[in-house]
Amino acid sequence: MSSLLEVKNLKVHFPVKPGLFSRVHEFVKAVDDVSFSIEPGETLGLVGESGCGKTTLGRAIVRLVEPTSGSVLLNGEDITRMSGSELRARRRKFQMIFQDPYGSLNPRMTVEQIVGEALDIHQLTDSKSARQKRIAELLNAVGLDTVYAQRYPHEFSGGQRQRIGIARALAVEPELIICDEPVSALDVSVQAQIINLLQDLQQQRGIAYLFIAHDLAVIEHISRRVMVMYLGKIVETAEAKALIRTPQHPYTQALISAIPEVDPETKRKRIILPGDVPSPIHPPSGCPFHPRCPIAEARCKTDVPPLREISSSHRAACHLAKQY
Ligand code: SF4
């Protein structure tokens, strides 16, 4: 099976200008040499603390921010080299849903206009009645009654607004949706409803997701595979169950230790990491995690650990990760 999405050595470095007319001397390395792939119909989770570069990575894939270098192949075509009408035509294939659905929905447009706009841009219906029928289908698919079609975003709850955002994304029949923290702003009960909805839609339509979140418990629930990101780099990637059971990178171990246990008998020992995430303008030498790592050795300050295979489906960027 060929990959739906293949990201190769992707970098997004933002120039830092000390003043309006100053020259650029430094760069924020928001995404630094990231490679991965997503198969058709699968969910790949991407987890990390805020500021680690995961949102920038999602945005670079859909070209909402311009990659500095590297490639993003969708069905084998490099979308980083496309522009204009070529890129617009491919945009149908990949959509994005956001953490703040209210901020991403035009407050002056009704639900019908918001969902219909996507159909109009890509000329997906050929008559007014076909357009209305399709909008009704899309609202039903995300669990919204069609009586809401003439209402405005402010008349809905957070969960309902996220459903509108999902309906808008579905309108163009995408093969991939980048879900950027889609449930982080919602109550826990509503989070479960939206995650169940995304899973149902995936089963019905075969859509692949890149699911971005800072909460590993949510990621574990929805993803088949998970990538852990730290300071712009992928530091560990594995099947979701293997990652939770046998995490190899100390950063992943700390993230997992923060997941609340259902069974109090098997209480995990919480690992509190010292300090904050360092600046991505001046990342630490060697292993970028070494200033916060509880098991760092002398070589960690000088030698960059490569993301290496420790089992057939598990890779970690740590000198001390053990093969199994
Ligand atoms: Fe810690 Fe060293 Fe592994 Fe980095 S390479 S995670 S500093 S042990």
Side-chain angles (χ1 to χ4, degrees):
M1 188 166 51
S2 62
S3 297
L4 170 67
L5 179 79
E6 221 176 327
V7 173
K8 291 183 186 169
N9 307 110
L10 193 70
K11 292 185 183 178
V12 184
H13 293 181
F14 297 115
V16 182
K17 274 192 169 184
L20 193 57
F21 301 106
S22 336
R23 291 180 61 183
V24 173
H25 293 293
E26 296 182 313
F27 291 86
V28 174
K29 293 175 181 168
V31 177
D32 202 18
D33 203 8
V34 166
S35 300
F36 65 92
S37 61
I38 300 182
E39 307 308 322
E42 86 157 333
T43 301
L44 175 65
L46 174 60
V47 69
E49 287 164 286
S50 62
C52 73
K54 54 192 192 305
T55 290
T56 305
L57 174 56
R59 286 171 179 257
I61 291 169
V62 298
R63 295 276 303 272
L64 285 178
V65 298
E66 282 303 314
T68 307
S69 63
S71 57
V72 177
L73 305 176
L74 191 75
N75 290 321
E77 293 183 308
D78 189 353
I79 54 178
T80 62
R81 299 185 194 286
M82 293 179 188
S83 58
S85 58
E86 206 183 2
L87 180 62
R88 272 195 296 281
R90 298 307 184 288
R91 276 235 159 89
R92 252 191 82 179
K93 299 289 173 197
F94 50 92
Q95 292 288 302
M96 189 154 185
I97 55 176
F98 301 89
Q99 174 177 3
D100 173 15
Y102 195 50
S104 68
L105 301 174
N106 187 332
R108 283 186 282 277
M109 288 169 82
T110 63
V111 171
E112 182 181 277
Q113 289 168 332
I114 289 168
V115 178
E117 186 183 43
L119 298 172
D120 300 340
I121 289 170
H122 294 281
Q123 300 172 344
L124 298 178
T125 51
D126 52 13
S127 67
K128 204 174 165 199
S129 64
R131 184 178 184 274
Q132 272 179 335
K133 190 165 166 239
R134 181 83 179 114
I135 292 169
E137 275 169 12
L138 289 162
L139 294 182
N140 283 331
V142 298
L144 284 175
D145 199 304
T146 47
V147 298
Y148 295 144
Q150 300 309 322
R151 295 196 187 167
Y152 291 87
H154 74 268
E155 298 178 73
F156 293 90
S157 67
Q160 286 172 320
R161 286 200 282 260
Q162 196 53 282
R163 287 174 193 268
I164 299 167
I166 296 169
R168 178 178 58 183
L170 288 182
V172 293
E173 298 175 5
E175 294 177 36
L176 170 71
I177 300 182
I178 312 287
C179 307
D180 184 14
E181 303 259 12
V183 298
S184 305
L186 305 176
D187 292 342
V188 174
S189 61
V190 184
Q191 284 187 0
Q193 291 169 14
I194 297 296
I195 285 174
N196 289 341
L197 171 65
L198 288 170
Q199 287 180 316
D200 289 347
L201 293 170
Q202 183 172 58
Q203 277 184 358
Q204 293 156 12
R205 296 160 194 252
I207 306 166
Y209 298 131
L210 175 64
F211 195 96
I212 301 170
H214 62 271
D215 184 345
L216 196 45
V218 172
I219 289 265
E220 180 204 0
H221 183 75
I222 192 169
S223 310
R224 185 172 76 79
R225 288 186 299 132
V226 178
M227 298 189 297
V228 182
M229 197 166 182
Y230 186 78
L231 267 186
K233 290 181 181 294
I234 303 300
V235 296
E236 186 158 10
T237 168
E239 305 268 331
K241 284 192 175 55
L243 189 88
I244 300 296
R245 220 174 27 236
T246 51
Q248 292 295 311
H249 197 286
Y251 178 59
T252 313
Q253 290 164 359
L255 290 181
I256 291 171
S257 79
I259 301 177
E261 289 276 8
V262 180
D263 179 1
E265 293 293 308
T266 58
K267 208 168 182 323
R268 295 184 187 105
K269 193 168 176 295
R270 181 83 196 265
I271 302 167
I272 309 284
L273 294 174
D276 295 322
V277 181
S279 162
I281 302 175
H282 303 291
S285 59
C287 172
F289 187 60
H290 84 255
R292 304 175 77 196
C293 182
I295 57 167
E297 299 180 342
R299 62 173 164 163
C300 302
K301 291 186 183 168
T302 51
D303 301 353
V304 180
L307 187 61
R308 64 188 168 87
E309 209 165 85
I310 49 173
S311 87
S312 57
S313 57
H314 195 156
R315 293 191 298 157
C318 172
H319 295 307
L320 304 185
K322 296 205 173 49
Q323 293 214 317
Y324 66 92

